[in-house]
Amino acid sequence: MRSLVSAEPLASRLHVKETQCPYCSVQCKMTVEELAAPVKGQHRGEYAVQGVPNEASQGRLCVKGMNAHQHALSGQRLLHPLIRRNGELETCSWEEAIQYIAVQFQSMKEDYGADTVGVYGGGSLTNETAYLLGKFARVALGTKHIDYNGRFCMSAAASAGSKVFGMDRGLTFRLSDIPKASCIILAGTNIAECQPTLLPYFNQAKENGAYIIVIDPRRTATAAMADLHLQVKPGMDALLADIMLKVIMDNGMMDSHFIEERTLGYEQLRHGLADLQLEQAAAACGIDLAQIRQAAMAYGKADTGMIMTARGVEQQTDGHLAVRHFLNLVLATGKIGRSGCGYGAITGQGNGQGGREHGQKADQLPGYRSIENEADRAYVASVWGVDPASLPGKGVSAYEMMERVHDQDIRALLVMGSNPVVSNPNVRLVEEALRKLDFLVVADMFLSETARLADLVLPVTAYLENEGTLTNLEGRVLLREQGRPSPGETLHDWDVLCRISAELGKGTYFQYDCAEDIFNELRVASRGGIADYYGITYERLRNEKGVYWPCPAPEEQGTGLLFSERFAHPDGKAVFTAEFSPGWNEVSPEFPLILTNGRVLPHYLTGVQTHRSAALAAREVENFVELHPAAAARNRVLDGEWVEIQSVYGSFTVRARVKEYIREDTLFVPMHWGGIQNVNRATRPELDPYCRMPGFKTVAVTIHPLRLVR
C-alpha cells in the first residue's frame, strides 16, 4: 500500500527505513521516504509511505498511518521552550525552563506538601516514558497524584479483566486466531473506522463461515459487515448480556465441565438471573427479543467464539460491570483459552496497553503491581534504590485529579502527552481548574488547547524521532526505532523528566543515556509481575519483530494465547459476576435524547496531531451530530445546519447530519474537537464506582437549531 502525499517539512531528504504508526493500538509498521524536496517558494514536499509486513497488520496501513508523517513534519511543531511573560508565551532556553520548573515544584512542596504537585500522562507515550513518568512522580516529586488519559480508555475493561481472570491484557488471544472463530460478537466497537487494518481478519473469518454480531446504537461500517446488528439503547449493555446468557442457560448450551473445573460463582449468577423477565428486559434494551435470542443461540451453539468490547460498552458509569457480564457469556460457554476463542478489549490509544502496565496509573507500579501491596512496593523500591516507606500511596483517577485542581488541593501540574482540557468530561470545570493552578507545565509537540493555558510549554519529539517500545492490543511488545534527528530544540519526553529530576536533586535515580537503558530497568522492575517484560530485550525485538508478554525469561517466547490451562488468580480459576446493573435511563421531557460520542476514521483522540495533517483534516474539517430523521423532524432540525446540544452540565455547537442509521432516541457526536464544538462540554462527571471511568456514552440532552435559539 503506497501513498503520495504532501507535508510541510522541517528537514530535507527524509528517509525512514522503518517506523511505526503513532495512532491506534494495532501499531502498524511503515517506511517514509521523501521523493521530492520542496520547490523554492513552496512549503510542501512529496513523500511515499509504504506498509511493512508484520504479525499484526500484515503490511496494511489506513489513511491515518499513511499521513502520520504530516504532523511530525508540520511547520506548526513547537521547536523551542515557551515561557509566559506578561501574559504571553515567548521562547526561552531549556536551562531557564528546567530551573523554573524545579523552583516552582520545590516551592509548592515546601509551602503546601508534595501531594499538591500532580502529574498527568497519556496512553500514547512509549513504555519507557510511561514507566519513567510513574517513577518521576513517586521518586523525584514524592507525590501520589499521578494518572493519565488512559483512564478514559481502558479502565473498565482492565479492571473487569483483573477481577474475572486475575489479569488484564487487551486480547486473550492472538490476532491471527480471529479467522478461526465460528461466532464473533463485537460490542460497542467500530473496528472499520477505529482499527481499520484489522478488518481483513474479520472478513477472513466470514469467508470461513463465521457468524458476526455487532452491538451498537448506530449502523456503522462495522455493523454493515455483520450477519446480525443489535441496535442497543445506550446504557443497557450489561442487561443485554444478561438476556443473552439467560437464553443460553434456558437452552442448556453452557459448558458444564468448564464451569465446574475452571470457574467460581456460577450458582450465584444462575440464581440471580432466575427471575429475569426476558420480554421486559429486551424492551428496556430497545431490541426485539427475537433478535437477542438469535444472537444468543448463534454464540451458544458455536464450537468456537470470541467476544470483543470497546468504548461503546466501557465508557459508561457501569462499564466495569457491563464488561464483566459479557465475560459471564465467555465463561459460561467455555470459549476461552483455546484456538478461535477468547475475549478482547479493543484498545484505543497507540500504547493504551503498555501505558497502563508500568506505573502512570494512580494505583499501579511497574509490571501491573499494586501500589497498595507491601511486597510490590518493597520490590519496586529495591529496583529504584529507595526506601519503600518513601513511596507515596494511591492517588485518584484522572478526572478526580481535575476536581482536586479545581479545589486547589493540587496547585501545580505537569501534563505530558495529553490534552485534558478537551478529553475530560465536564470540561467547563476542567478549564476553570487549570486556570486556577499556580503553575501549569505542558510537554507537547503542538500548542494544544491545554498548552495554551500553560505557564511553560516544553517541545518534545514526535514518533519519527523518539525511539522506544509500545505494546499493541494483543500484548505484543514492538520496538519503534528513531527515524530522524530531533528537530530544533525538541527533547525526548523521557529526557525532559531526567533533566527536571536532576535539577530537583534526584538525578542519581534518573541516569540514562538512551531509551534502551530505561527499558532494561523496566524489565527488572516488571520481573515477576503480572505484566512481566523481563525476557524481552531490544535485540529480541529487532530480531523477532515483536514479543508477547508475559515473557519472564529471555529464552521464552512469550504468551500469545492466554489461559489455556489456568487463569491468573492464585487458585487458577476465573470468577463469574453475580452483581447486576440497572443500566442507565435518565432522559426526561426536558432532556429527551441520549447523547453518545465516539471516533471517526480520519482523526485521533483530541485531534492535536491529526488536525495538523492537511490530508486528514480535509476529510473532516468540523464536528457534527448524527441524528435520526424522526428526531430531526420533532426538533425542527434541517440536515447541514448548525445546532446547539444541551445537557444539565453545559452545551456545545455542531453541524447536523440527518441519518437513518442511528436510533431515534440517540445522538452521536465525535470526540476530536475542542472549543465550542467539544462534545465534553455536555458530558456528565459521574464516574464508574469500580474503575472511575466517566460516563461519556450516556447523557440526557436536548437539541435546537441555532436559528431558533435566542
Side-chain angles (χ1 to χ4, degrees):
M1 189 176 296
R2 191 172 175 88
S3 170
L4 299 183
V5 291
S6 296
E8 299 177 6
L10 295 175
S12 61
R13 301 309 302 167
L14 172 70
H15 178 76
V16 180
K17 183 177 180 182
E18 184 176 300
T19 185
Q20 203 162 302
C21 180
Y23 295 130
C24 87
S25 59
V26 183
Q27 288 296 287
C28 304
K29 294 283 189 180
M30 66 184 80
T31 62
V32 182
E33 182 178 4
E34 183 183 53
L35 299 181
V39 179
K40 186 177 180 180
Q42 298 182 0
H43 298 289
R44 298 181 183 276
E46 192 176 73
Y47 297 84
V49 180
Q50 186 80 36
V52 174
N54 68 335
E55 291 293 334
S57 64
Q58 301 171 328
R60 295 182 289 269
L61 292 176
C62 78
V63 66
K64 284 200 291 290
M66 288 189 289
N67 293 285
H69 63 282
Q70 289 189 339
H71 82 259
L73 302 175
S74 168
Q76 297 182 48
R77 283 282 300 275
L78 297 175
L79 300 179
H80 310 280
L82 301 176
I83 192 169
R84 191 172 297 279
R85 304 190 210 272
N86 300 317
E88 300 293 330
L89 288 171
E90 59 182 57
T91 60
C92 68
S93 68
W94 271 107
E95 181 181 16
E96 181 181 8
I98 298 298
Q99 288 178 351
Y100 186 32
I101 294 170
V103 168
Q104 290 293 320
F105 283 177
Q106 195 62 43
S107 65
M108 294 297 166
K109 291 174 62 178
E110 291 173 358
D111 293 345
Y112 304 107
D115 290 335
T116 58
V117 181
V119 177
Y120 193 107
S124 295
L125 301 174
T126 63
N127 288 319
E128 290 80 358
T129 297
Y131 166 81
L132 208 63
L133 200 63
K135 181 179 178 181
F136 171 79
R138 289 154 181 138
V139 175
L141 297 179
T143 181
K144 68 179 180 181
H145 283 137
I146 176 171
D147 211 69
Y148 78 125
N149 64 13
R151 179 72 68 168
F152 305 147
C153 179
M154 296 303 301
S155 60
S159 58
S162 296
K163 287 288 187 181
V164 173
F165 301 141
M167 70 178 291
D168 154 49
R169 197 180 76 181
L171 305 186
T172 67
F173 50 85
R174 301 167 290 250
L175 286 170
S176 58
D177 290 336
I178 292 173
K180 302 173 185 177
S182 301
C183 181
I184 299 173
I185 298 175
L186 300 173
T189 177
N190 184 11
I191 288 171
E193 292 197 63
C194 299
Q195 291 85 16
T197 58
L198 294 185
L199 205 58
Y201 287 110
F202 297 92
N203 291 333
Q204 187 178 347
K206 279 183 69 74
E207 291 171 3
N208 293 342
Y211 189 85
I212 296 181
I213 302 161
V214 169
I215 301 171
D216 199 303
R218 303 165 63 226
R219 191 166 69 247
T220 63
T222 304
M225 75 165 182
D227 297 283
L228 178 62
H229 176 204
L230 302 182
Q231 208 157 1
V232 66
K233 183 177 181 180
M236 305 309 295
D237 298 274
L239 182 58
L240 174 57
D242 290 341
I243 300 170
M244 292 178 66
L245 182 55
K246 184 70 160 59
V247 171
I248 286 171
M249 288 177 172
D250 290 347
N251 286 273
M253 293 185 289
M254 304 84 67
D255 186 332
S256 299
H257 179 75
F258 183 92
I259 292 171
E260 177 67 25
E261 295 296 320
R262 300 198 58 190
T263 70
L264 298 172
Y266 176 74
E267 283 303 311
Q268 295 94 314
L269 173 61
R270 186 177 66 82
H271 287 302
L273 290 175
D275 297 327
L276 181 65
Q277 301 299 309
L278 297 185
E279 290 281 359
Q280 182 180 351
C285 292
I287 308 172
D288 186 83
L289 178 59
Q291 282 193 312
I292 302 177
R293 287 187 187 278
Q294 186 178 348
M297 296 295 288
Y299 180 73
K301 288 180 178 178
D303 292 331
T304 56
M306 294 176 172
I307 294 179
M308 301 177 211
T309 66
R311 308 304 83 71
V313 170
E314 299 157 20
Q315 284 183 327
Q316 303 189 38
T317 50
D318 71 342
H320 170 91
L321 283 178
V323 174
R324 290 179 67 174
H325 282 249
F326 277 102
L327 295 183
N328 282 343
L329 283 166
V330 174
L331 298 180
T333 58
K335 292 185 174 69
I336 193 167
R338 52 192 176 91
S339 182
C341 294
Y343 165 73
I346 307 297
T347 310
Q349 295 193 66
N351 198 30
Q353 180 66 54
R356 67 183 185 266
E357 295 168 355
H358 297 299
Q360 65 171 332
K361 203 165 163 237
D363 58 348
Q364 284 182 354
L365 291 170
Y368 240 130
R369 289 182 161 90
S370 170
I371 201 164
E372 296 183 296
N373 181 287
E374 290 304 318
D376 288 349
R377 289 168 61 88
Y379 177 77
V380 173
S382 71
V383 175
W384 289 348
V386 299
D387 184 345
S390 70
L391 297 179
K394 177 182 175 181
V396 297
S397 70
Y399 178 71
E400 290 172 302
M401 280 183 62
M402 293 301 157
E403 291 180 322
R404 296 202 176 190
V405 170
H406 190 270
D407 295 339
Q408 295 192 294
D409 293 330
I410 296 175
R411 306 181 73 98
L413 187 67
L414 167 64
V415 177
M416 181 169 277
S418 191
N419 190 18
V421 81
V422 177
S423 61
N424 272 253
N426 195 20
V427 295
R428 290 191 305 170
L429 178 141
V430 176
E431 289 173 357
E432 292 174 6
L434 294 180
R435 293 182 191 278
K436 283 185 174 184
L437 282 165
D438 293 335
F439 183 61
L440 172 62
V441 55
V442 174
D444 208 324
M445 293 177 286
F446 298 100
L447 202 61
S448 67
E449 289 87 347
T450 303
R452 291 180 188 278
L453 301 177
D455 299 290
L456 192 65
V457 184
L458 308 177
V460 294
T461 50
Y463 80 103
L464 287 177
E465 306 128 18
N466 190 357
E467 182 176 75
T469 61
L470 299 100
T471 307
N472 79 350
L473 77 166
E474 58 176 341
R476 189 194 299 271
V477 183
L478 301 163
L479 175 61
R480 186 179 70 202
E481 305 272 14
Q482 182 178 16
R484 70 168 192 148
S486 304
E489 295 182 5
T490 59
L491 293 177
H492 302 317
D493 32 28
W494 60 263
D495 192 8
V496 172
L497 297 175
C498 292
R499 294 185 184 212
I500 298 172
S501 299
E503 194 67 25
L504 289 168
K506 300 290 186 177
T508 56
Y509 302 103
F510 295 85
Q511 294 184 342
Y512 312 99
D513 293 327
C514 60
E516 186 174 5
D517 288 348
I518 303 170
F519 187 77
N520 284 331
E521 183 177 293
L522 179 158
R523 293 173 54 223
V524 178
S526 72
R527 189 176 191 180
I530 292 172
D532 192 335
Y533 281 36
Y534 182 70
I536 305 173
T537 64
Y538 271 34
E539 181 180 6
R540 286 193 67 181
L541 294 176
R542 289 187 175 108
N543 293 334
E544 300 173 34
K545 306 302 181 183
V547 179
Y548 288 109
W549 73 260
C551 184
E555 62 273 12
E556 296 194 20
Q557 292 302 306
T559 309
L561 180 65
L562 297 177
F563 313 135
S564 296
E565 298 178 0
R566 56 181 286 116
F567 292 96
H569 287 299
D571 61 4
K573 296 191 175 184
V575 181
F576 279 101
T577 300
E579 183 178 351
F580 297 91
S581 169
W584 180 91
N585 186 17
E586 297 179 11
V587 294
S588 66
E590 184 180 4
F591 298 101
L593 295 166
I594 305 168
L595 172 64
T596 192
N597 66 18
R599 301 183 178 198
V600 292
L601 175 59
H603 288 298
Y604 179 67
L605 300 183
T606 62
V608 171
Q609 297 168 51
T610 52
H611 289 172
R612 271 78 178 183
S613 166
L616 297 176
R619 289 172 174 259
E620 290 287 0
V621 299
E622 62 191 13
N623 207 358
F624 60 87
V625 56
E626 287 180 0
L627 71 162
H628 192 274
R634 284 195 303 270
N635 292 279
R636 295 182 288 177
V637 172
L638 303 177
D639 186 40
E641 74 173 332
W642 286 88
V643 297
E644 180 184 73
I645 298 171
Q646 186 173 18
S647 73
V648 297
Y649 306 103
S651 63
F652 62 97
T653 302
V654 290
R655 197 181 293 278
R657 293 184 183 177
V658 180
K659 303 289 184 182
E660 292 185 348
Y661 49 63
I662 191 169
R663 288 178 55 93
E664 288 188 28
D665 58 3
T666 301
L667 307 179
F668 170 80
V669 177
M671 56 172 278
H672 311 293
W673 281 266
I676 63 170
Q677 298 185 72
N678 188 352
V679 63
N680 284 325
R681 295 176 72 88
T683 49
R684 57 198 181 103
E686 287 87 357
L687 305 177
D688 185 303
Y690 294 93
C691 63
R692 317 311 288 167
M693 170 74 83
F696 288 111
K697 291 296 189 280
T698 51
V699 63
V701 298
T702 186
I703 185 171
H704 304 286
L706 280 184
R707 58 186 164 83
L708 300 180
V709 176
R710 293 183 180 179

